[in-house]
Structures are given as structure tokens and as C-alpha cells.
């Protein structure tokens, strides 16, 4: 397979990654949870949250999970993959949520969905 060649069954998509701190909040709940909740309300295909074990941001202060340097401000990444127009339509919600800081990256990718055993296959145009 050559670089740039679509895999069989793949559809063009956009990967949205939102990087925030674990302790960042939105109205008394974790900011990452609010992002996931809004992504679901927006009808995006899905969202996952990944907790980092070490990192630094704008302050250059390193936060780590190591035993002698326990931190409660570890990096968190919220990742969403969906069609480009759906992801771009969601970006205005992040403007409000990230007013206190954060980083957003957008990466083109290909989406290949594998249904769970017993589920029917998801046809891209049938999602609504």
C-alpha cells in the first residue's frame, strides 16, 4: 500500500483532539466531560478521553504521575473522529469551553468502522 492510498472501505474523516488539564472545569464538573457530553448532543460519531502520564503546556511546568511527584493536573486528550463538516460544525462550542485555555488540533484521517458482533454495519449515509 502506498502513502495516501485509501484502505478498502475507508471514508475521509477529520480527527479532533482537544488537550486540556485534568483539573480544568466547566460549571463544577470536569471540562473533558463537558466536551464529551456536548459532542454526544451534537450527534458526533463518538468521543474518547485519554489521561496522560506526563506533560507540560503553556506554563512549561511539567506535570507527572511518577510516585515522588504526584500531580493532579495531568494532561487529558479528548479525541473525536467524524466527517469533516460535522467536526467543523462542533468547533464553535469549543470556543466557549476553552476560553480559559486549551489546545485543539485537527488532522485529516480515514475512518473505518467495525461493527460489534451481532450489530449491523454502519453505512455512512444512513447515520442521520
Amino acid at each position: 500500500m502506498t502513502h495516501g492510498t485509501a484502505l478498502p472501505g475507508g471514508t475521509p474523516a477529520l480527527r479532533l483532539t482537544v488537550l486540556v488539564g485534568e483539573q480544568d472545569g466547566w460549571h463544577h464538573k470536569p471540562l473533558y466531560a463537558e466536551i464529551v457530553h456536548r459532542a454526544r448532543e451534537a450527534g458526533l460519531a463518538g468521543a474518547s478521553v485519554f489521561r496522560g502520564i506526563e506533560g507540560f503546556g503553556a506554563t512549561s511546568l511539567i506535570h507527572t504521575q511518577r510516585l515522588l511527584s504526584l500531580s493532579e493536573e495531568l494532561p487529558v486528550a479528548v479525541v473525536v473522529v467524524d466527517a469533516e463538516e460535522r467536526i467543523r460544525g462542533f468547533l464553535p462550542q469549543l470556543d466557549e469551553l476553552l476560553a480559559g485555555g486549551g489546545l485543539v488540533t485537527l488532522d485529516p484521517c480515514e475512518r473505518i468502522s467495525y461493527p460489534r458482533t451481532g450489530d449491523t454495519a454502519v453505512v455512512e449515509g444512513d447515520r442521520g
Side-chain angles (χ1 to χ4, degrees), residues 107-118:
D107 302 291
C109 61
E110 289 184 44
R111 178 175 143 182
I112 302 173
S113 297
Y114 293 91
R116 294 179 186 266
T117 305

Side-chain angles (χ1 to χ4, degrees), residues 26 34 38-39 41-42 89-98:
W26 180 260
E34 181 66 16
R38 289 195 186 193
E41 285 180 348
F90 183 66
L91 292 178
Q93 294 205 45
L94 295 178
D95 290 344
E96 177 186 12
L97 294 174
L98 298 179

Side-chain angles (χ1 to χ4, degrees), residues 72-87:
E72 295 189 12
E73 184 56 37
L74 294 170
V76 174
V78 181
V79 178
V80 182
V81 176
D82 207 327
E84 181 173 358
E85 61 275 6
R86 294 171 68 85
I87 293 291

